[in-house]
Amino acid sequence: MTGAPRRAPAPPAAPAARTDGGARPFSWRFTTPLLLGASLNPVNSSLLATALTPIAASLGVPVGRVAVLVAALYLASAIAQPTAGKLAEEFGPRRVFLTGAALVVAGGTAGALGQDLPTLVAARVLIGVGTSAAYPTAMLLIRRRAADAGLAEPPGRVLGALSVAGQATLALGLPAGGLLVGAAGWRWTFLASVPFALAALAMTWAWIPRDPPVARRGSAREVLARLDVAGIAGFGGAMTALLVFLMALPEPAWAALVPAAVLAAALTAWELRARAPFLDVRLLASNLPLVRTYLRVALTQLGVYTVMYGVTQWLEAGRGLSAEQAGLLVLPMSGLAVLVTRPVARRNMLRGALVAAAAASLAGSAGMLLLGTSAPVVAVVGVTLAFGVTVGTQAAGNQTALYLQAPAGRIGTAAGLFRTSAYTGSIASSTLTGVVFHDEVTDAGLHTIAVVLIAVSAVVLLMVLTDRALRKDPTHRPRKEPPT
């Protein structure tokens, strides 16, 4: 087994403002606000799922129309994640993190007070943009802190905690949303994020060292060129058109697919000529291991989100369970994911973790073939637990791959694209369940979904086994890490 050098000689101590004294580069004061912020986006992606029907009844609109609230956060997050990373690289991660937390407070408050659907859509966009700032800025802060501390290996404990916050908390939104709606009403699904965002904002302001002054200010035109605003706009337009096409299936909206293809081609041509490209096409073409990491994340999250929403939908429509009961049956997936993630990440496991993730996804997908309206509840829990292993191992393994494969100076944007890949998988999962359950939610439809996920899991497993870049597994013997 190969691995990175065990420890590089420690460089001279960095200034206290950058390393928190050097001896404790990843103290709880440094990590707590980052982990709290990173958990808000995945939780909010599922928090509203059980509130759609009450919102429709309260506003007097069809249930189908309020589904735009889910799509709004998906789209905002898919575009905002890499954008936040780019802004963090340019202006400083602390500044972007604080701005994002403030947007979450604004969005949660607006949603709680909103009286019409457009206001709620705007609130969800604000929440999506605000929560999207946390993960890429956290990765940038951690990467810089590790470099200042002279670490030659990924800080597994911290990355493991970030994996738990950013991925393993995903399924918590379903039961939490059901409990909030049942106990206090749908407005609390918006308001719930406000106190946590305020806490993250206050802790970041007090405990995260200030960003250094922006060295390259220049004219507004020069700043916009460094940010590649045209590239960001092209990426956003292409993603929007693609989402419209996917959400319209099974009736294909060709009027949306054509603009998506045209914008994607124009974006590629522009980025090849841009001085500081937002989507560095040349870098991606020369860094195929990173591209494969993005593809693995998208395909794996397709299965995870399908279990979260497709199986939950089947439990409610096919077995007659309430939204709260269905959400609670998915909850063990998050619990097991948390238990699995920490030891995998602490050892910086890479190939072994990803093999386990694909194998567990394959087993869970096969288990879905055995589910039916008369299947025991324990069988449903068994399927969710298999995907809990998938969530925990893939979150840790793919995040370690991202940390090792992304250039240090572009880790913010790379981390944002990492999360965009996850949202691409979630959008694909909603398309899959929408097509299969378009007319009726049945056992046969669930089994069709299972067959698709078996094929997807097999492809991911084959990708991992044949990826030579993953054979340089950074797993290593126990070593001393800086105290956390």
Side-chain angles (χ1 to χ4, degrees):
M1 193 179 323
T2 60
R6 292 188 62 182
R7 189 69 180 259
R18 291 292 303 278
T19 64
D20 205 15
R24 296 177 59 85
F26 297 110
S27 67
W28 66 270
R29 287 176 179 248
F30 177 82
T31 58
T32 299
L34 304 185
L35 301 181
L36 179 58
S39 68
L40 291 178
N41 188 267
V43 169
N44 270 282
S45 70
S46 55
L47 188 65
L48 203 70
T50 56
L52 296 180
T53 299
I55 289 174
S58 175
L59 301 181
V61 298
V63 175
R65 286 188 60 193
V66 298
V68 70
L69 297 175
V70 176
L73 188 132
Y74 281 176
L75 179 60
S77 297
I79 298 171
Q81 296 270 2
T83 303
K86 179 74 171 179
L87 291 172
E89 292 163 359
E90 179 68 27
F91 298 113
R94 182 179 182 268
R95 296 184 181 99
V96 175
F97 189 100
L98 290 171
T99 303
L103 290 177
V104 176
V105 173
T109 303
L113 300 175
Q115 300 297 320
D116 52 52
L117 188 58
T119 301
L120 298 188
V121 171
R124 286 285 283 182
V125 170
L126 284 175
I127 292 172
V129 172
T131 57
S132 293
Y135 183 79
T137 56
M139 285 293 288
L140 183 55
L141 284 164
I142 291 169
R143 184 69 173 263
R144 289 180 177 178
R145 181 63 64 102
D148 285 348
L151 299 185
E153 299 167 350
R157 288 193 181 100
V158 181
L159 292 178
L162 190 64
S163 291
V164 170
Q167 294 287 327
T169 57
L170 184 63
L172 292 178
L174 286 172
L179 293 173
L180 282 172
V181 172
W186 63 264
R187 294 187 184 277
W188 280 87
T189 58
F190 285 91
L191 199 60
S193 297
V194 172
F196 295 103
L198 286 172
L201 195 155
M203 288 186 288
T204 302
W205 184 271
W207 297 339
I208 301 296
R210 293 176 180 270
D211 295 318
V214 179
R216 300 178 302 166
R217 293 189 183 275
S219 65
R221 184 174 181 177
E222 290 172 340
V223 172
L224 293 177
R226 290 200 301 270
L227 291 176
D228 189 18
V229 174
I232 293 173
F235 178 78
M239 287 295 297
T240 301
L242 179 62
L243 178 61
V244 170
F245 173 78
L246 291 175
M247 296 296 286
L249 294 174
E251 287 83 19
W254 301 115
L257 184 61
V258 172
V262 171
L263 285 170
L267 174 64
T268 302
W270 171 265
E271 298 295 63
L272 287 172
R273 295 180 294 131
R275 186 177 66 183
F278 166 71
L279 190 66
D280 197 333
V281 178
R282 286 191 175 90
L283 174 63
L284 292 175
S286 64
N287 193 346
L288 294 181
L290 181 60
V291 175
R292 290 193 292 269
T293 294
Y294 292 152
L295 182 57
R296 281 196 311 271
V297 170
L299 293 176
T300 305
Q301 291 296 87
L302 165 62
V304 170
Y305 274 91
T306 300
V307 171
M308 281 182 54
Y309 292 111
V311 172
T312 301
Q313 188 175 350
W314 170 77
L315 286 171
E316 294 178 30
R319 297 180 66 109
L321 299 184
S322 67
E324 293 85 353
Q325 292 171 327
L328 289 173
L329 282 179
V330 180
L331 189 58
M333 182 169 75
S334 277
L336 183 58
V338 171
L339 294 176
V340 169
T341 299
R342 297 300 294 271
V344 170
R346 286 183 64 178
R347 295 186 60 201
N348 286 327
M349 293 180 66
L350 186 54
R351 187 171 185 265
L354 296 176
V355 169
S361 178
L362 189 60
S365 301
M368 289 175 63
L369 289 173
L370 305 177
L371 297 182
T373 52
S374 60
V377 170
V378 67
V380 178
V381 175
V383 168
T384 63
L385 288 177
F387 278 93
V389 174
T390 298
V391 172
T393 50
Q394 78 85 23
N398 281 319
Q399 185 173 256
T400 299
L402 168 71
Y403 188 95
L404 295 170
Q405 294 165 352
R410 299 298 305 275
I411 188 66
T413 304
L417 289 171
F418 181 85
R419 294 296 288 267
T420 297
S421 300
Y423 269 101
T424 303
S426 72
I427 293 167
S429 76
S430 65
T431 300
L432 174 61
T433 55
V435 170
V436 175
F437 291 156
H438 183 255
D439 297 319
E440 186 180 6
V441 179
T442 63
D443 291 351
L446 182 67
H447 297 161
T448 299
I449 290 175
V451 171
V452 173
L453 296 189
I454 288 172
V456 170
S457 302
V459 169
V460 174
L461 181 58
L462 183 62
M463 287 177 61
V464 174
L465 293 175
T466 58
D467 193 338
R468 294 183 179 182
L470 298 178
R471 294 177 185 176
K472 299 178 180 180
D473 198 324
T475 305
H476 35 264
R477 293 178 294 275
R479 60 180 177 82
K480 291 183 178 180
E481 286 190 2
T484 56

